[in-house]
Amino acid sequence: LVNDVFGKDNQDKVPMEKVIMLIWQFRDDPSVVQFMARFVAKYASHRGVFDGIEFYLPQLAHMIIHLEASWDDAILERFALVISQHSLHFALQFNWILQGAIEDYQPEAPN
């Protein structure tokens, strides 16, 4: 899995499905998640790097919303922001998911 992400065969593309899998697999280790976020940020300016990331948007949003980690940094949030800076479509979809989660978790007022 790690070789698939960092291998030479990627032709300036980051296999986002494998990045998301690595983040999920090592979700309890903030140093690995931070490294993956920095790795993606490094290649963020290359055209086509984020091909396919929108397919994994629900998984990323789920990790950001539900992952109970006591990290000092908002690593996953910064990871999503890096992607959002390069894809307006991703940013809008991510915003809608977060707004839906906020609405779902608000206490309902009695009638």
Side-chain angles (χ1 to χ4, degrees):
L1 189 60
V2 174
N3 286 336
D4 291 340
V5 173
F6 300 111
K8 300 287 184 198
D9 314 349
N10 294 336
Q11 303 161 351
D12 283 339
K13 289 194 178 193
V14 176
M16 294 309 292
E17 70 277 0
K18 298 202 172 47
V19 169
I20 296 296
M21 283 191 272
L22 278 173
I23 289 173
W24 177 253
Q25 187 175 1
F26 295 101
R27 64 189 175 273
D28 296 328
D29 188 351
S31 61
V32 173
V33 176
Q34 186 171 26
F35 176 80
M36 293 306 297
R38 287 183 180 162
F39 171 76
V40 170
K42 177 182 172 185
Y43 289 98
S45 63
H46 289 79
R47 187 170 192 72
V49 166
F50 298 117
D51 287 350
I53 187 60
E54 290 175 13
F55 182 78
Y56 298 96
L57 177 60
Q59 290 87 343
L60 180 60
H62 177 80
M63 282 190 280
I64 290 172
I65 294 167
H66 295 289
L67 187 62
E68 294 183 17
S70 58
W71 301 342
D72 294 336
D73 292 341
I75 300 166
L76 285 175
E77 289 85 348
R78 271 197 254 125
F79 178 72
L81 284 174
V82 165
I83 299 169
S84 295
Q85 288 173 338
H86 294 279
S87 172
L88 182 61
H89 195 253
F90 177 92
L92 287 171
Q93 286 185 337
F94 186 61
N95 182 35
W96 292 330
I97 289 173
L98 293 180
Q99 283 181 347
I102 289 171
E103 281 185 24
D104 284 347
Y105 292 112
Q106 285 183 351
E108 293 185 19
N111 291 337

